[in-house]
Amino acid sequence: DLRSVLITSVLNLERLDVNLYRCAGLHGPGHRDQASLPRLFGGQIVGQALVAAAHAVRSEMQVHSLHCYFVRAGDPKVPVLYKVDETRTGRSFSVRSINAIQHGKPIFTCQASFHLSQESPVQHQFTMPAVPPPEELVTQEELIEKFLQDPDLAEKYRKHLHKIQAEDVPIEIKPVNPPDKFHVEAREPKQLLWVRARGHIGETDRKVHCCVAAYISDYAFLGTALFPHRQYRARFMVSLDHSMWFHAPFRSDHWMLYECESPWAGGSRALVQGRLWRRDGVLAVTCVQEGVIRVEQMPNSSKL
């Protein structure tokens, strides 16, 4: 297997000084070169911040949660500096604060908490949804090819699918229960996706897989909130904050089920929740995000 680009390039940081790192290789979903994008991909910033924080704790400590705010749009034309502050170092729990900086100002701030694993008889979790295994499903790329072969597909949707098709995404995705046609009808704000990092990462420090999962967790996450509102299209959609809790060990280069849902939207904001499940039914990660969504009426929709 080829080594995963997520750890060799996308999440790779250069150490400049004690607790100071830089990333110059900014490659996220959409383009091989993010310089052509209007802003940086949030998942990459979260993942890189966690990489920086992980360097500042003892190797035996594992991340159990992180809480982030996106405070400015990232400039894809300049490197990002990551400054880590050792907020607290305890025997069981340690907290690290991370600022991502461009042009002398923070574009992103995050706190990550690490701990030494402890056994406890108090254990429970939700039940993983019953879904077909990934081997029985088509990839996102195959699904798009199927849609594009439909001669009755509207041109605006055809252009949108060609745009998705051109993306260089370092994630493999298999939608569960994909539709027969490109989604144009409203549906409830939920989706199920099998996801994994492209390439091989292998057995390594658990924190590496958590950093990759942080990248994966932001992909197509906020868009779940738009499923019931097909009469509108997003003209502006960005993340405001992003939180994650890591519950159990997992391999980010193995298939995991990403269960996404949006319980609320209003006031040009939307909330989304996600759960990453291992194939054996273990809940590995929980994610929550709020974002800004500003929309406009679709041209062929009634404005009444």
Side-chain angles (χ1 to χ4, degrees):
D1 288 333
L2 294 174
R3 194 89 185 274
S4 173
V5 69
L6 275 167
I7 60 171
T8 58
S9 176
V10 174
L11 298 178
N12 190 31
L13 298 181
E14 175 191 1
R15 185 177 183 272
L16 300 179
D17 204 337
V18 177
N19 291 338
L20 184 63
Y21 300 87
R22 175 174 64 188
C23 179
L26 299 167
H27 305 277
H31 296 262
R32 296 179 187 273
D33 178 10
Q34 275 211 50
S36 57
L37 292 175
R39 62 180 63 86
L40 297 177
F41 172 55
Q44 182 171 12
I45 303 301
V46 177
Q48 289 175 351
L50 187 54
V51 170
H55 285 305
V57 296
R58 304 195 307 272
S59 60
E60 65 270 23
M61 301 199 82
Q62 300 298 331
V63 61
H64 72 88
S65 69
L66 59 87
H67 303 277
C68 319
Y69 281 96
F70 299 91
V71 294
R72 290 180 177 86
D75 183 349
K77 299 179 179 61
V78 300
V80 181
L81 295 178
Y82 292 92
K83 185 179 184 301
V84 182
D85 292 319
E86 299 186 9
T87 306
R88 180 182 186 271
T89 300
R91 285 181 295 179
S92 299
F93 290 86
S94 294
V95 177
R96 298 293 180 262
S97 300
I98 312 99
N99 279 326
I101 301 167
Q102 286 184 322
H103 304 295
K105 296 180 180 180
I107 62 169
F108 168 91
T109 182
C110 175
Q111 284 198 320
S113 182
F114 299 79
H115 78 132
L116 293 173
S117 181
Q118 300 174 354
E119 293 297 324
S120 170
V122 180
Q123 297 184 28
H124 70 266
Q125 66 163 53
F126 283 178
T127 301
M128 177 178 171
V131 298
E135 291 78 14
E136 296 180 7
L137 301 173
V138 299
T139 65
Q140 180 171 273
E141 291 87 351
E142 292 169 333
L143 190 60
I144 289 174
E145 283 290 345
K146 176 184 175 181
F147 293 152
L148 289 173
Q149 291 172 8
D150 182 357
D152 298 325
L153 183 67
E155 186 60 27
K156 61 181 178 181
Y157 297 123
R158 190 175 300 277
K159 289 181 180 178
H160 178 66
L161 290 174
H162 278 303
K163 182 179 179 181
I164 297 174
Q165 194 178 45
E167 291 181 350
D168 182 33
V169 181
I171 311 167
E172 292 185 75
I173 302 169
K174 289 191 173 184
V176 176
N177 297 323
D180 291 332
K181 290 183 177 292
F182 181 59
H183 270 314
V184 295
E185 299 296 328
R187 59 189 179 110
E188 64 178 341
K190 296 182 180 181
Q191 63 174 330
L192 292 164
L193 309 164
W194 285 105
V195 295
R196 69 179 177 184
R198 292 190 188 275
H200 180 72
I201 298 176
E203 296 290 347
T204 183
D205 188 338
R206 283 169 51 186
K207 291 189 285 291
V208 172
H209 290 286
C210 291
C211 293
V212 173
Y215 180 99
I216 292 173
S217 69
D218 193 39
Y219 186 74
F221 193 23
L222 188 56
T224 308
L226 284 174
F227 288 176
H229 311 287
R230 293 297 184 181
Q231 71 272 34
Y232 302 104
R233 63 182 174 195
R235 60 179 177 83
F236 183 79
M237 185 165 64
V238 296
S239 305
L240 288 172
D241 56 23
H242 191 89
S243 294
M244 301 182 71
W245 293 265
F246 301 90
H247 311 305
F250 60 91
R251 284 273 300 270
S252 56
D253 55 349
H254 288 178
W255 286 114
M256 293 190 293
L257 182 69
Y258 198 14
E259 180 186 11
C260 306
E261 58 186 3
S262 175
W264 173 89
S268 294
R269 306 191 327 275
L271 185 72
V272 286
Q273 301 171 340
R275 289 181 282 272
L276 276 168
W277 299 88
R278 293 188 335 204
R279 289 193 65 165
D280 60 0
V282 171
L283 180 59
V285 186
T286 297
C287 313
V288 177
Q289 182 180 106
E290 188 178 49
V292 173
I293 300 181
R294 299 189 180 115
V295 299
E296 59 188 7
Q297 193 87 25
M298 292 290 280
N300 63 341
S301 299
S302 169
K303 296 184 180 181
L304 295 179

